[in-house]
Amino acid sequence: MPAPPAPLLVAQGIEKTFDQTRALAGASVEVSAGEVHGLLGANGAGKSTLSRVISGHVRRDRGTLAWRGAALDPRSPRDALSAGIAMVMQETTLAPDLSVLENIFLPELAQPGRLRPALQRQRARDILESLGQHAALPLGSEVRRLSAAQRQLVEIAKALAVDATLIIFDEPTASLSPGEVERLFDVMTRLRAAGRALVFVSHRLEEVFAVTDRVTVMREGRTVGGSLPTASLSQSDIVRLMVGQDLGRIYAERPAVHAAGEPVLEVRHLCAPPRVRDVSFTLHRGEILGLGGLVGAGRSETLEALFGLRPHSGGEIRLHGKAFSPRRPADAIRAGIGFVPEDRRLQSIVPDFSVRENLLLGHLSAYRGFGLGYATRDARVAELLRLLGLPNERLLDANMLNFSGGMQQKIIIARWLLLDPRVLLLDEPTKGVDIVTRSSIYAMLQEVADRGAAVLVVSSDFEELLRLCSRIAVVSDGATIAEMESAVLDEAKLTLFAAPRSSMAANARLLADLSEETGGAAFWALRDGGRLFCLNRVGGTGVSDPGFVAGATPRFEETRIPAALRSAPGTFVAEPDGQRSTLMAQVHSHRGHDLGWIGLTVPGVTTPDAATIVRRVQDAITSNI
Amino acid sequence: MPEALAPTSRSHLVHRLAGRLEVRMLGLALVVFAGLSLASPYFLRSNNLLNLLDQSVVTGITSVGMTFVILTGGIDLSVGSVLGLTSVLMGLAFGKLGIAGGIAVALLSGGAIGLFSGMLVAYFGLASFVVTLGVMAIGRSLAYICSGATSISNIPPAINDLVYTPILGVPSNVATLLVIYVLAGLYLSFTKGGRTIYAIGSNQEAARAAGLSVLFYSVLPYVVSGALAAAAGVLLSAQVMSIDPLAGTALELDAIAAVVIGGASLYGGRGSILGTLIGVLIMVMIRNGLNLLGVNPFWQGSAIGGIIIAAVLVERLVSTRVRG
């Protein structure tokens, strides 16, 4: 779609710093009427902050905003709303006890004059009609009773009630089912056709391809790709922009892969609703294992389940080979597990306690006596202080909150080191930590592992995971989809693996069917630069084994089907040794965007009809999604 | 270390402010004391000073339990009616069980009522304000029903010895008060349970994530509060040699006031037994002094109320400066 000449909104050189964290460092975006504009970036790239600056929720420190050619300076969401800019938030901002109708017209409460419910009712009906959703929302119902998708619809209607010209959707699909996502996309398409401008903030690449016209890509608070037509890009292009070209420096400090010790913590098919569906991995003595994935993939919840803070409903946890099922954190601590949660202020720090008592909090819970037993730890406390560059003894009585985030984090980690844990779980250990302290935390964790503990780290910062961890398990939408050496990975591949795919479940069913009918191996993969990224594989033993498993990233020649991978798709290609034949079929969603490849490897050279299978695969994909 | 603690001077300030809260209250107590000594020739007389301590016993003991509850971030509105009900139960039990049996009934029933409130608060996550408001109403109504809505005055005379037998020259009720304060102060400062109570009030999530027994130590303060309210009832009954189902009415307000004047935060995590003791003494001295000066007793409420508000205001100003 050709971009109209005059952009509706131009944001340029936006900068914003929260406390010490630089959220935006020169971000720009241009949005025109009648387009859906994707705003992309990895976790923490600044997408949400930029959206909130535009919608008046956050004030920028520097930079310019132009709205219809005139300068705009929204001091509050109300300013932005009256200009015609509305935001549909990730966590909706509705009043749960008011009715749908009252919520839609909530901004009118800020206007003088009498409310006119009859007129409002009619306008609400018109708005829903224009979205093709007149049946989806009971206007009189309390918002509390609505589903996530319905609430979102209320938010959209609310934006239209003030006749917003620009609507920003911040991660709108995060809590929706695939069917609801489709409905949302229909609504967005109608809004675009009505000449409104939409900004779609997401890190789900499939959806970006499905619904956007142009995209702006952000990285580390900057715009690295502005207003690129979606049609001109591939998934790999976008990933490369999101991650950056300078992959070289990562490898320099890659941790040595040392011989793994015996398994310490084995997790199989762990299920802890609602976020954790099927998580499996093995953590060895002396290693640092990373749990990679996007925010909301269920990584934190996995750690909480392992530490007994969250009940798990299924799966098996084995600790030192014995079944382990913690019901309370005390169980986990007794078994030698320590846990550093994600939110220091909320989950770790006791603000009214001194540094000393915060440091000794884990000891307090492990201590069996009636008193405090602080003196029994004096020697170890002094040793830790020396080793970790923690404040000297005089400062032990100071308040925790006077220290930098990095120092606080070290104290919290030391809280567990004091107990000599055999397993240490850390959730985003360097969140809000300055760059200098980061490397000392890395060194600290490496030393903990070298001394024989097993360390499990959750991080959204893929660069950090690759630097710190010898192996990485990737979690996507509550399930581990790969567990591999970090040596074979880079940020781009990790991003590809971690991207949540709403099509995952449907595709898995299709693969199972194909494998069962042909007695071969069915797999789903992406191809990039002579490598295969296997996302899922079902079946295939003996000769029909294609030579890789789900989560593997082999070069073509490292597989058992190199000839097929190098040939043109659409037909069965036999390998030179005649042992197996493979069909590769590229699949697209019904909106025409790339979903990767479905492969089918069967034994021998006599094969089923390729065209039938290709058609069938494409039909299944289209109808499933 | 470059990142280590830039604001050293600020931490000194924090220290001074945090330390000063109790110091300030102690100062206020001394000012009140000195002022009353000058204003009234009777104030400093030894029998008035003893009288002062004697008047502190009921509020003082109840305030210890209230301190425990407030430290966890809760509140116990039921202490007054728990005192009334447990006293009535004790009065009924005297006939069959004797003095020791009657006292045991009072203490056990007080603890049981606290256990009930505490379980509702900790296990079901109900607001302590609402739960103890309900228990307060139930307790008072049961006190009327059990007593037949009249005072019980046939109390074994020997119980009066409990109050006025001197121990090391101090009347035994005052000695009991001091012993309870010392034990409670030691418990809160130097035991695992005491520190857990502080940790829960300061940041319950962090206490849970560190593996502390959050549930147990969330319930315990209500049990302590109920049992101590009953103990206060025992001493009150022995003092006046009569049990009134109305006894302890509005006691919860005095106890909360004492704890708050003593520098505790109603959000939990901050406060001390020493502070509570000072709070109790300030309140009792003001009441006593206004009486001695012949001020219309209706002014007492204004004086106490003014001090409560001033104390909370000071707490807020200090804590915003400390916590930023």
Side-chain angles (χ1 to χ4, degrees), chain B residues 151-207:
Chain B
S151 298
I152 302 171
S153 48
N154 56 336
I155 294 176
I159 198 174
N160 198 239
D161 299 348
L162 267 182
V163 185
Y164 295 118
T165 310
I167 299 175
L168 300 174
V170 183
S172 54
N173 63 344
V174 174
T176 310
L177 176 78
L178 295 177
V179 167
I180 288 175
Y181 269 84
V182 169
L183 290 180
L186 292 175
Y187 182 78
L188 286 178
S189 295
F190 299 111
T191 68
K192 178 177 163 171
R195 300 319 289 170
T196 303
I197 286 172
Y198 275 94
I200 289 169
S202 187
N203 186 347
Q204 183 165 333
E205 278 313 304

Side-chain angles (χ1 to χ4, degrees), chain A residues 270-350:
Chain A
L270 183 72
C271 181
R275 286 274 174 82
V276 182
R277 295 185 294 117
D278 180 8
V279 169
S280 305
F281 59 84
T282 304
L283 179 62
H284 300 90
R285 187 182 144 83
E287 86 169 336
I288 304 181
L289 175 70
L291 212 51
L294 298 171
V295 172
R299 306 160 309 164
S300 305
E301 291 80 2
T302 301
L303 296 194
E304 287 174 7
L306 293 176
F307 195 64
L309 273 168
R310 177 181 291 275
H312 61 275
S313 63
E316 192 187 19
I317 307 169
R318 297 185 82 78
L319 188 66
H320 302 291
K322 286 196 284 279
F324 173 65
S325 183
R327 290 178 41 231
R328 301 174 301 141
D331 297 342
I333 292 169
R334 213 161 290 141
I337 301 180
F339 174 46
V340 178
E342 177 178 6
D343 192 325
R344 263 194 306 283
R345 226 14 219 282
L346 215 62
Q347 298 168 284
S348 291
I349 294 176
V350 177

Side-chain angles (χ1 to χ4, degrees), chain A residues 307 329 333 345-353 357 361 364-365 367 370-372 395 397 402-404 410 437, chain B residues 1 3 5 7 11 15 187 189-192 195 198-199 202-203 205-206 208-212 269-270 323:
Chain A
F307 195 64
I333 292 169
R345 226 14 219 282
L346 215 62
Q347 298 168 284
S348 291
I349 294 176
V350 177
D352 292 306
F353 277 12
E357 283 207 284
L361 204 65
L364 196 61
S365 89
Y367 187 64
F370 178 74
L372 292 172
L395 297 177
D397 291 323
N402 294 333
F403 292 84
S404 71
K410 283 194 191 179
T437 317
Chain B
M1 295 300 295
E3 81 272 25
L5 191 80
S11 95
H15 241 101
Y187 182 78
S189 295
F190 299 111
T191 68
K192 178 177 163 171
R195 300 319 289 170
Y198 275 94
S202 187
N203 186 347
E205 278 313 304
R208 196 191 312 279
L212 298 173
R270 196 182 306 185
R323 293 187 176 183

Side-chain angles (χ1 to χ4, degrees), chain B residues 47-63:
Chain B
N47 60 349
N48 185 54
L49 290 181
L50 269 182
N51 189 21
L52 210 69
L53 287 172
D54 195 56
Q55 286 171 4
S56 311
V57 168
V58 171
T59 312
I61 291 180
T62 315
S63 301

Side-chain angles (χ1 to χ4, degrees), chain B residues 128-148:
Chain B
S128 58
F129 187 96
V130 178
V131 168
T132 57
L133 187 67
V135 170
M136 169 176 158
I138 295 169
R140 189 61 71 191
S141 118
L142 291 181
Y144 282 122
I145 290 170
C146 295
S147 66

Side-chain angles (χ1 to χ4, degrees), chain A residues 17-339:
Chain A
T17 305
F18 295 109
D19 296 328
Q20 278 121 37
T21 317
R22 198 115 189 256
L24 292 177
S28 306
V29 68
E30 257 187 50
V31 188
S32 302
E35 72 161 338
V36 179
H37 195 106
L39 189 55
L40 311 182
N43 294 325
K47 311 172 297 244
S48 288
T49 310
L50 181 57
S51 317
R52 294 166 72 87
V53 165
I54 296 171
S55 61
H57 288 82
V58 170
R59 287 212 70 185
R60 64 192 189 279
D61 296 337
R62 217 166 270 133
T64 57
L65 284 176
W67 175 246
R68 299 180 190 276
L72 175 76
D73 184 22
R75 286 157 185 275
S76 69
R78 203 165 145 184
D79 288 352
L81 271 181
S82 55
I85 301 173
M87 183 156 167
V88 175
M89 306 280 272
Q90 215 163 338
E91 299 294 330
T92 63
T93 52
L94 300 173
D97 294 309
L98 298 186
S99 73
V100 169
L101 190 66
E102 286 170 305
N103 266 290
I104 291 177
F105 293 102
L106 207 56
E108 291 201 353
L109 291 182
Q111 308 299 327
R114 205 162 57 82
L115 292 175
R116 301 167 71 182
L119 187 67
Q120 285 185 347
R121 191 166 289 274
Q122 190 49 50
R123 278 182 59 203
R125 284 208 195 94
D126 292 346
I127 288 169
L128 290 178
E129 189 81 39
S130 74
L131 298 175
Q133 303 287 328
H134 47 279
L137 268 188
L139 290 179
S141 162
E142 271 178 35
V143 162
R144 185 183 295 288
R145 297 172 199 282
L146 301 183
S147 72
Q150 285 176 309
R151 286 181 199 208
Q152 201 167 52
L153 200 53
V154 176
E155 289 262 19
I156 296 169
K158 192 170 152 188
L160 294 177
V162 296
D163 201 24
T165 329
L166 174 70
I167 306 177
I168 303 172
F169 291 83
D170 189 9
E171 304 271 0
T173 57
S175 47
L176 301 186
S177 72
E180 291 168 337
V181 170
E182 274 305 298
R183 218 171 306 141
L184 173 69
F185 287 177
D186 281 342
V187 168
M188 291 176 71
T189 313
R190 280 168 188 261
L191 290 171
R192 172 176 60 189
R196 295 182 203 272
L198 294 103
V199 173
F200 179 71
V201 180
S202 182
H203 49 216
R204 300 192 173 215
L205 294 183
E206 285 185 10
E207 294 171 356
V208 168
F209 278 98
V211 76
T212 64
D213 302 307
R214 297 192 296 168
V215 296
T216 292
V217 186
M218 297 183 64
R219 183 172 74 241
E220 290 164 7
R222 281 171 226 281
T223 297
V224 292
S227 301
L228 311 165
T230 312
S232 70
L233 298 169
S234 71
Q235 285 204 18
S236 317
D237 292 337
I238 292 185
V239 167
R240 225 163 273 140
L241 279 171
M242 280 165 64
V243 173
Q245 302 284 359
D246 46 349
L247 297 173
R249 65 200 160 101
I250 299 162
Y251 303 106
E253 297 170 72
R254 184 175 297 290
V257 181
H258 38 94
E262 72 272 20
V264 175
L265 183 68
E266 295 158 272
V267 177
R268 295 285 170 267
H269 307 296
L270 183 72
C271 181
R275 286 274 174 82
V276 182
R277 295 185 294 117
D278 180 8
V279 169
S280 305
F281 59 84
T282 304
L283 179 62
H284 300 90
R285 187 182 144 83
E287 86 169 336
I288 304 181
L289 175 70
L291 212 51
L294 298 171
V295 172
R299 306 160 309 164
S300 305
E301 291 80 2
T302 301
L303 296 194
E304 287 174 7
L306 293 176
F307 195 64
L309 273 168
R310 177 181 291 275
H312 61 275
S313 63
E316 192 187 19
I317 307 169
R318 297 185 82 78
L319 188 66
H320 302 291
K322 286 196 284 279
F324 173 65
S325 183
R327 290 178 41 231
R328 301 174 301 141
D331 297 342
I333 292 169
R334 213 161 290 141
I337 301 180
F339 174 46

